[in-house]
Amino acid sequence: MPYDDSGWRNFGAYGAGRSPENVRGGRALGQAMEEALSRQIREGGIRSAVTTPRGLRARLNYLDSDAGRQALRNAGVTVQNRALNNWFAGTQHPRRANLDLIDTAYWNLRAHNVLRNLGAFKQHLNNRGNGRPIEIHPINQDLVDDHARRRNLMGDQGIRSLPAVRYIWDDAVDAMAAGDADKLEEIWDDVISDLDSDWGAYTYVSYVGLGA
């Protein structure tokens, strides 16, 4: 479906563009997916602190590979390879400064691995065919010229919820990963077409919340 600007054909002419949070819906959807992906990286990772024996051992186990060693070097670890081997074997305990670097290396490598294979993220969003809820906030009209403000989009009455958005997530994740803004806008048109006849008012939004 071609991108439809009908809800805000004169977007910015009366001040809507003065609020930096007001963006096209596809961009907001991309931001919401990036936030959900960040949560998946964090919440699916090791929860024990690196300063605990369990947390340190779990991180070193994850980093015990060529990619893990490179991640440690990239994070700033400068100890000799012999010391690294001792860390992995559990016969030498890293100094406190190196604990922070090990933690950084772990999270960097985990993020890299998740981003390299987004299939799990697609499955998470598809939710076994049930999809995910989306909350849509209309544009912030605080800086819109008073005569051009749309009263029906002000306050909580303007917030719209779609309880189960399905069938878009594989394409949406691919578009997010490729930085394909046009595709995200096309997908957003499909999303908001499930709203009522005023769906065009949500071609631009201030925030999209993703229940994932």
Side-chain angles (χ1 to χ4, degrees):
M1 171 185 311
Y3 184 77
D4 188 325
D5 241 352
S6 60
W8 291 100
R9 284 194 183 280
N10 298 313
F11 181 83
Y14 301 109
R18 296 170 190 155
S19 297
E21 67 268 37
N22 293 342
V23 296
R24 286 191 172 188
R27 179 179 173 186
L29 177 63
Q31 291 171 343
M33 287 192 296
E34 289 174 0
E35 292 169 1
L37 183 58
S38 294
R39 286 194 298 272
Q40 187 181 52
I41 291 171
R42 292 194 311 271
E43 295 173 3
I46 298 167
R47 301 199 175 190
S48 301
V50 70
T51 52
T52 66
R54 179 178 181 179
L56 175 60
R57 177 48 44 199
R59 284 165 176 79
L60 289 174
N61 286 341
Y62 190 88
L63 293 165
D64 191 5
S65 65
D66 289 343
R69 289 170 182 266
Q70 187 59 53
L72 286 164
R73 296 305 186 192
N74 292 343
V77 172
T78 59
V79 299
Q80 299 296 317
N81 287 334
R82 180 178 179 180
L84 278 183
N85 291 335
N86 290 339
W87 290 358
F88 291 129
T91 58
Q92 182 178 339
H93 194 279
R95 294 181 178 179
R96 177 56 195 251
N98 283 323
L99 291 179
D100 292 338
L101 298 179
I102 290 169
D103 192 49
T104 297
Y106 164 72
W107 287 111
N108 287 346
L109 183 60
R110 172 167 169 75
H112 171 78
N113 288 339
V114 170
L115 292 171
R116 187 175 59 180
N117 180 12
L118 291 171
F121 186 50
K122 291 179 180 180
Q123 290 179 355
H124 177 66
L125 295 179
N126 283 313
N127 192 25
R128 299 182 180 179
N130 295 313
R132 293 291 179 176
I134 286 181
E135 184 175 273
I136 308 168
H137 292 225
I139 70 165
N140 179 353
Q141 300 186 75
D142 289 351
L143 300 181
V144 173
D145 295 345
D146 187 68
H147 75 277
R149 291 180 182 176
R150 299 190 57 174
R151 306 299 170 181
N152 64 314
L153 298 180
M154 299 177 70
D156 291 344
Q157 66 179 337
I159 299 174
R160 308 298 297 274
S161 295
L162 295 172
V165 176
R166 296 177 288 179
Y167 312 125
I168 69 163
W169 298 115
D170 286 359
D171 288 342
V173 171
D174 288 341
M176 177 198 70
D180 190 340
D182 290 339
K183 183 63 176 179
L184 284 172
E185 295 302 337
E186 181 181 320
I187 291 169
W188 184 249
D189 263 3
D190 289 340
V191 170
I192 60 176
S193 67
D194 286 338
L195 300 175
D196 55 28
S197 58
D198 200 25
W199 67 270
Y202 295 87
T203 53
Y204 287 84
V205 297
S206 61
Y207 174 77
V208 168
L210 179 55

